Amino acid sequence: MWLTWRAATQRALYGENGFYLRERPSAHFRTSVSAAVGATAGAPVGAAVSATAGTSAVLAGAVLRELAELAGPSGPLDLVDVGAGEGALAVGVLALAPQELRSRLRVTCVDVAPRPPDLPEEIGWEPVVPEGVEGLVIANEWLDNVPLDVVEQTSDGPRLVMVDPSDGAEQLGDTPEEADLAWLDRWWPLGPVGERAEIGRPRDEAWASVIVRLARGRAVAVDYAHRLGARPPYGSLAGYRGGAAVAPVPDGSCDITAHVALDACAAAGEGVGAVTTTLTTQREALRALGVTGARPSLDLAGWDPVGYLRALSRASLEAELIDPHGLGAFGWLRQSRS
Ligand SMILES: C[S@@+](CC[C@H](N)C(=O)[O-])C[C@H]1O[C@@H](n2cnc3c(N)ncnc32)[C@H](O)[C@@H]1O
């Protein structure tokens, strides 16, 4: 059976017994959230997340600062985590929030996967982003899992790549539909015969559907990204299973992911009413939020050795998040409605 990559990935990841409906993401790959997920996921809300609690706690602190910037003097404040996975980021933010902010927070995780059994009751779990969000929407490594089609350049122009889900074999199919050809022209013009592109239109639409649900505040998408003029000439489709990169076979046995054209998502967000846009790297975004990776002074080791070790551990977690050759190279797209 031959399917487009979009249809095959949809079935493999989200169809009956699909990868994301049965697997815990942190068992298969590390994200900025899950790098040390064991240290925070499922921790009782309100329990102090120590400085050594992991990369997710560092990210949670940064997200809390982003959220605090959006808090007016009073009233409810939403935190919506889209593609929340195991909900570790939401748990981490709640744990770190000072009481006055926490009492105003409405925290919602959005995921197509079932609600994790140990998620604290005060965190909502929804299959779609609620209407009228007032606060912060964060989507860490969500858009790269929105299925898309793959095309290959031929002497007759771009043709869809069809895949056999049982073994990943490929053959060329039809010409893409007009809207997809227009997307390729605008966002990923193909070069010589043999070059490939991934049609990001479903991701643009997914992102726009978030922006329209924002009544006030900001939405942030964090992902592996590329920009117009620097797209990977043969695409970026990849598979992950059990912590290792594997061939992207869409049979439900592995994650299927591809880097995100965040610049196209930004334009889609503007098309539905985003009034401010910034597109930067995780390194720059987190440094501006106080994540510097700075090591503690050696003097501290003399009078507080435990504190010194804790600070050193935190510095190394921060450094991992802002590593320009690793997670720090991720794109951060921020858009607001007001
Ligand atoms: C790579 S995981 C990221 C998990 C978490 N945000 C992290 O950074 O560790 C992607 C998540 O997005 C979810 N997802 C994919 N498409 C979705 C959709 N349309 N609506 C809600 N969640 C979705 C998947 O089920 C999965 O849990």
Side-chain angles (χ1 to χ4, degrees):
M1 175 184 43
W2 296 100
L3 297 175
T4 63
W5 266 102
R6 184 179 178 189
T9 306
Q10 181 67 36
R11 209 175 69 150
L13 299 186
Y14 311 115
E16 193 182 346
N17 202 29
F19 181 84
Y20 275 113
L21 304 193
R22 51 161 226 276
E23 299 287 334
R24 289 171 49 241
S26 63
H28 296 276
F29 46 81
R30 285 159 68 85
T31 67
S32 298
V33 172
S34 69
V37 73
T40 49
V45 173
V49 173
S50 77
T52 54
T55 305
S56 59
V58 175
L59 187 68
V63 169
L64 182 60
R65 283 191 283 281
E66 185 98 9
L67 186 63
E69 278 178 21
L70 302 170
S74 60
L77 183 64
D78 287 307
L79 172 64
V80 179
D81 182 1
V82 190
E86 289 143 79
L89 183 60
V91 170
V93 173
L94 261 182
L96 291 174
Q99 188 48 42
E100 63 281 12
L101 191 69
R102 197 171 150 179
S103 61
R104 296 170 52 194
L105 272 182
R106 296 184 301 211
V107 182
T108 309
C109 288
V110 175
D111 208 291
V112 291
R115 180 186 177 98
D118 53 357
L119 197 71
E121 267 176 28
E122 65 189 290
I123 298 178
W125 189 267
E126 300 291 339
V128 291
V129 176
E131 301 280 346
V133 175
E134 298 183 272
L136 180 68
V137 179
I138 177 108
N140 191 71
E141 292 203 37
W142 166 51
L143 291 170
D144 67 282
N145 281 128
V146 173
L148 39 59
D149 274 326
V150 177
V151 291
E152 185 170 314
Q153 182 69 303
T154 73
S155 50
D156 296 330
R159 301 260 303 274
L160 284 166
V161 177
M162 310 297 287
V163 62
D164 180 340
S166 67
D167 59 4
E170 293 181 335
Q171 65 176 26
L172 294 183
D174 294 337
T175 300
E177 62 179 89
E178 279 306 316
D180 286 340
L181 287 172
W183 190 93
L184 288 168
D185 272 352
R186 169 72 182 88
W187 293 110
W188 196 326
L190 280 156
V193 168
E195 276 199 6
R196 285 185 168 210
E198 291 140 3
I199 304 172
R201 207 159 62 86
R203 290 155 176 201
D204 296 358
E205 288 168 1
W207 184 244
S209 78
V210 168
I211 298 296
V212 295
R213 288 175 166 83
L214 203 55
R216 181 182 66 74
R218 189 178 299 161
V220 182
V222 181
D223 235 305
Y224 309 86
H226 41 56
R227 285 176 184 253
L228 184 63
R231 310 273 187 224
Y234 300 100
S236 61
L237 211 57
Y240 290 94
R241 179 171 54 237
V246 296
V249 177
D251 60 359
S253 69
C254 62
D255 182 30
I256 304 282
T257 167
H259 294 202
V260 183
L262 274 182
D263 46 0
C265 296
E270 285 165 356
V272 294
V275 292
T276 67
T277 298
T278 58
L279 186 48
T280 184
T281 61
Q282 171 149 304
R283 179 177 174 82
E284 294 313 316
L286 287 186
R287 283 165 64 95
L289 289 166
V291 177
T292 63
R295 294 162 71 95
S297 151
L298 258 183
D299 294 347
L300 180 63
W303 55 270
D304 181 5
V306 173
Y308 174 77
L309 284 178
R310 205 179 280 140
L312 199 57
S313 164
R314 183 179 172 96
S316 94
L317 293 167
E318 290 191 0
E320 182 183 3
L321 283 184
I322 59 173
D323 176 1
H325 306 294
L327 293 169
F330 273 41
W332 271 54
L333 168 62
R334 284 190 181 96
Q335 292 193 304
S336 66
R337 291 292 296 275
S338 54

